[in-house]
Amino acid sequence: MVFQKNTINRTFCFLALFFTPFLGANAQELFNSKVLTPEKSFPSGVEGPAVGSNGTVYAVNFAKPGTIGQVSLDGTASLFVELPSGSVGNGIRFDSKGNMLIADYTKHNILKVNMLTKEITVFAHNSNMSQPNDIAIDNKDRLFASDPNWKAGTGRIWRIDLDGKTTMLDSMGTTNGIEVSPDNKYLYVNESVQRKVWKYDLNEKGELSNKRLIHEFPDFGMDGMRCDIDGNLYITRHGKGTVVKLSPEGKLIREINTLGKLPSNIAFGGRDGKTAYITLQDKGYLESFRVDKPGREWQMLKKK
């Protein structure tokens, strides 16, 4: 029995030594940010990455403001469309029909792009908005838009229904990142200046209730925010040069370093949904890193 036990121990040690380098290499690949597109391929206003059903990453302001750029899986960036004169995009999302929806903050619009014809139409307009900024989407294709007033240090949340009707849901601090949970039962909103992350209950009618604070940072602002399929939040820390991962209850799980200091927004895609794409305003490019769970938006695309 002693001989068998020692033999088993030696075999276990050998296997551990053999496989550890491979496990370590895979572990190192996770949460390790790398440059995706050439520096300065996007101007300082680069924002709003979103991934289409074909895996292409889209972001606003390619080469100049008022455009949408497209980035292939190998990092090749090119122009996708030019927006109508005077329009400048911010957040981008895709609906269940594959249409691209863009927050046009200069003209107080939500624009819709037909991905086959590249025709651009105004899906929603509200001149009472300060500036529709980031947008989230639920499983009914309803949009939720953050609407910051940077000068006043205030903000609002709007719902945009399928007919383009806009409804103000709440007013608060400088609203920025916004996301719906994978089960469509919660809406998350962050306040950049106040550095707070809020969670709301979200009902079937798209109404909000039970607002509560789930996390507050002592320094630096926040911008974009997205969920993985487990409901964990990934939030860009603008000025700090990191992306934080929070649990659905707001517990800090990890902090990921980016190569630039001004990450603006984040999206999930890649072949398995486990690649995070981040827009860096100080570098004028996109970075990417691998994560352990697919993103919610990738999962939504796969259900289409």
Side-chain angles (χ1 to χ4, degrees), residues 68-87:
I68 304 295
Q70 58 186 356
V71 181
S72 62
L73 289 174
D74 66 0
T76 302
S78 60
L79 177 68
F80 176 61
V81 293
E82 289 199 26
L83 301 181
S85 178
S87 292

Side-chain angles (χ1 to χ4, degrees), residues 50-68:
V51 181
S53 58
N54 61 353
T56 300
V57 186
Y58 299 89
V60 304
N61 301 328
F62 174 73
K64 65 177 183 178
T67 61
I68 304 295

Side-chain angles (χ1 to χ4, degrees), residues 119-137:
E119 179 188 10
I120 303 173
T121 56
V122 176
F123 173 64
H125 172 81
N126 189 330
S127 58
N128 291 322
M129 290 183 178
S130 298
Q131 52 167 289
N133 191 53
D134 284 343
I135 48 178
I137 192 166

